[in-house]
Amino acid sequence: MAKRSLSSLSAKDLRSKRVLVRVDFNVPLDEANHITDDTRIRAAIPTITDLIRKNARVILCAHFGRPKGQVKEDMRLTPVAARLSELLQKDVVKSDSCIGEDASSKVAAMSDGDVLLLENVRFFAEEENNESNFAKTLASLAEVYVNDAFGAAHRAHASTEGVTKFLTTNVAGYLMEKELQYLQGAIEEPKRPLAAIVGGSKVSSKIGVLESLIDKCDKVLIGGGMIFTFYKARGLDVGKSLIENDKLELAKELEAKANAKGVELLLPTDVVLADNFAPDANSKTTSVNSIPDGWMGLDIGPESISTFQSALQDCQTVIWNGPMGVFEFEKFAAGTNNIATTLAELGSKGCCTIIGGGDSVAAVEKAGLAEKMSHISTGGGASLELLEGKTLPGVAALDEIA
């Protein structure tokens, strides 16, 4: 069912209202506690500025790191409040705790258009346990709930799901709405041909998404370390490449399923090998049929890149999740970089290109092509679960469009 969005609430609906906004501010910090990538903070700005413009009282709720229910000084949201204040060009007050006297008094002191950032919600174990009384206390700070944390929507936590039981208005923020529009739209009502490019090191982490995509796609292109499990299942030698021996039967089943459904399942025909796992390793390119002992595959080869590029040319929707090789090592980044460039070119011709979270996002950003993609997902696990067709608790809990 389609979910209500913040766009359905007018300035009249929100004026002077206390609005609890779940955001994903789990950003990387360096050793000096400086934010090294503020993408997730910037992604929440449209929702926050809309609420400010509508004269709401904006109470932001976020997690940071994995404090496991304990107060950890190095996991406070202080650097986030400072960066958010710069981006909004207005003061952002931060509470010392997400519930309790300090949080309550700071909420009570708010005026219309003010922004308050509650301290790390995971300082309480009750958050991840979705404890009802904790959710009720958190919800009591507000009158309206907005979930804009797509990256945490696959978790049934107090701040993503529990609070909705105690508030009567629960809507999606603009980032959440955009994520659902692109990711659900690509799976449920895609412009065809629909292709999925699935990479990464292990079949085991992508089983659900591969099965689901074979059901829905016209073409599935597989790269990354997981290809060697497929090759071994075919009876090929893979040298010392990464394989999952307990997934060999599954690899055979996935190939058979694609064949039975008439889905074009493409695996690389050549690979770039290394004599050890290092950026300066000796390397050579070979056919997948002749991988020698003592060598490991770390990227797809030039012939495979060309085959993949040709297969994508007529596609109207492409979903990409997972790199083609060890792109962090320059010597083994060609496959991933070429796919990124190809998607940027397809996007300029009207193809809908969706980067489905995780390492693919890092690869696209490293290549400087993020702006050329139709949509870059902010959720890793959440993106995968949505593509698998799973229900996300944080989405299910929101109000449906009447």
Side-chain angles (χ1 to χ4, degrees):
M1 291 290 290
K3 296 296 179 177
R4 269 187 88 190
S5 149
L6 176 56
S7 58
S8 70
L9 299 175
S10 67
K12 186 180 174 187
D13 295 326
L14 291 166
R15 183 174 293 112
S16 302
K17 288 284 197 301
R18 290 171 282 113
V19 182
L20 181 67
V21 187
R22 180 56 162 96
V23 286
D24 182 2
F25 285 169
N26 195 22
V27 293
L29 298 180
D30 63 18
E31 289 172 7
N33 249 23
H34 296 132
I35 296 168
T36 56
D37 181 357
D38 67 355
T39 303
R40 286 179 168 175
I41 302 175
R42 285 185 284 109
I45 296 296
T47 290
I48 299 168
T49 50
D50 187 59
L51 288 165
I52 293 168
R53 192 172 51 80
K54 290 173 177 172
N55 288 305
R57 301 177 183 193
V58 187
I59 305 160
L60 302 172
C61 175
H63 75 276
F64 182 79
R66 294 179 178 173
K68 299 188 175 171
Q70 297 179 335
V71 175
K72 299 274 178 76
E73 291 303 320
D74 61 344
M75 293 185 191
R76 289 195 178 275
L77 289 168
T78 309
V80 173
R83 181 65 186 128
L84 183 61
S85 190
E86 290 170 4
L87 290 168
L88 292 173
Q89 297 186 312
K90 69 177 286 153
D91 286 341
V92 174
V93 176
K94 188 183 78 67
S95 66
D96 296 330
S97 175
C98 63
I99 59 169
E101 178 55 37
D102 182 68
S104 298
S105 61
K106 280 177 176 155
V107 168
M110 293 177 81
S111 300
D112 295 357
D114 281 355
V115 179
L116 169 68
L117 176 61
L118 300 176
E119 187 52 275
N120 193 340
V121 73
R122 286 192 187 168
F123 282 173
F124 290 84
E126 294 91 333
E127 156 67 0
E128 292 188 79
N129 295 333
N130 200 3
E131 204 274 321
S132 183
N133 284 336
F134 176 78
K136 186 177 183 180
T137 304
L138 194 58
S140 71
L141 297 172
E143 299 157 279
V144 173
Y145 176 70
V146 176
N147 192 342
D148 213 27
F150 177 73
H154 58 314
R155 309 287 189 206
H157 291 170
S159 67
T160 60
E161 196 263 352
V163 291
T164 64
K165 297 180 175 75
F166 305 101
L167 291 162
T168 53
T169 303
N170 303 284
V171 301
Y174 294 121
L175 173 63
M176 176 76 83
E177 182 181 32
K178 188 181 177 203
E179 292 274 15
L180 297 175
Q181 174 194 332
Y182 273 98
L183 291 167
Q184 277 187 331
I187 289 300
E188 291 169 11
E189 296 175 2
K191 289 192 294 176
R192 292 187 182 272
L194 165 64
I197 308 164
V198 183
S201 57
K202 293 184 175 180
V203 181
S204 54
S205 61
K206 302 283 170 84
I207 293 169
V209 82
L210 277 168
E211 289 181 329
S212 173
L213 290 170
I214 287 169
D215 275 335
K216 299 179 172 85
C217 291
D218 303 296
K219 305 178 186 190
V220 177
L221 288 57
I222 301 178
M226 70 171 78
I227 60 177
F228 299 102
T229 299
F230 284 89
Y231 298 146
K232 178 130 191 226
R234 289 178 178 180
L236 298 174
D237 291 326
V238 296
K240 56 178 186 178
S241 303
L242 180 72
I243 49 165
E244 293 176 280
N245 284 311
D246 61 336
K247 296 291 180 284
L248 297 177
E249 284 307 310
L250 175 75
K252 289 178 188 172
E253 287 166 19
L254 289 170
E255 287 209 64
K257 180 179 178 180
N259 195 36
K261 287 186 164 288
V263 173
E264 196 179 338
L265 183 75
L266 289 174
L267 284 158
T269 50
D270 63 339
V271 287
V272 182
L273 301 176
D275 59 355
N276 68 310
F277 190 82
D280 59 351
N282 293 312
S283 64
K284 61 181 178 181
T285 302
T286 182
S287 160
V288 299
N289 297 308
S290 54
I291 298 172
D293 286 346
W295 291 76
M296 64 180 77
L298 296 187
D299 196 11
I300 65 174
E303 182 181 281
S304 305
I305 290 169
S306 181
T307 302
F308 282 15
Q309 287 171 327
S310 297
L312 294 168
Q313 288 309 310
D314 66 339
C315 293
Q316 292 299 301
T317 307
V318 180
I319 303 163
W320 182 18
N321 185 290
M324 297 293 95
V326 185
F327 74 98
E328 298 89 346
F329 297 166
E330 204 54 48
K331 224 174 198 181
F332 308 103
T336 300
N337 289 344
N338 275 284
I339 292 298
T341 304
T342 302
L343 293 195
E345 290 165 357
L346 290 172
S348 69
K349 297 174 188 170
C351 174
C352 178
T353 53
I354 299 164
I355 313 303
D359 285 339
S360 335
V361 175
V364 165
E365 288 178 346
K366 191 178 175 190
L369 296 169
E371 310 252 316
K372 302 261 177 88
M373 304 300 166
S374 307
H375 179 64
I376 291 188
S377 180
T378 55
S383 304
L384 278 178
E385 291 197 16
L386 198 62
L387 291 173
E388 282 176 42
K390 288 184 180 176
T391 298
L392 306 185
V395 175
L398 300 175
D399 301 343
E400 287 167 6
I401 293 173

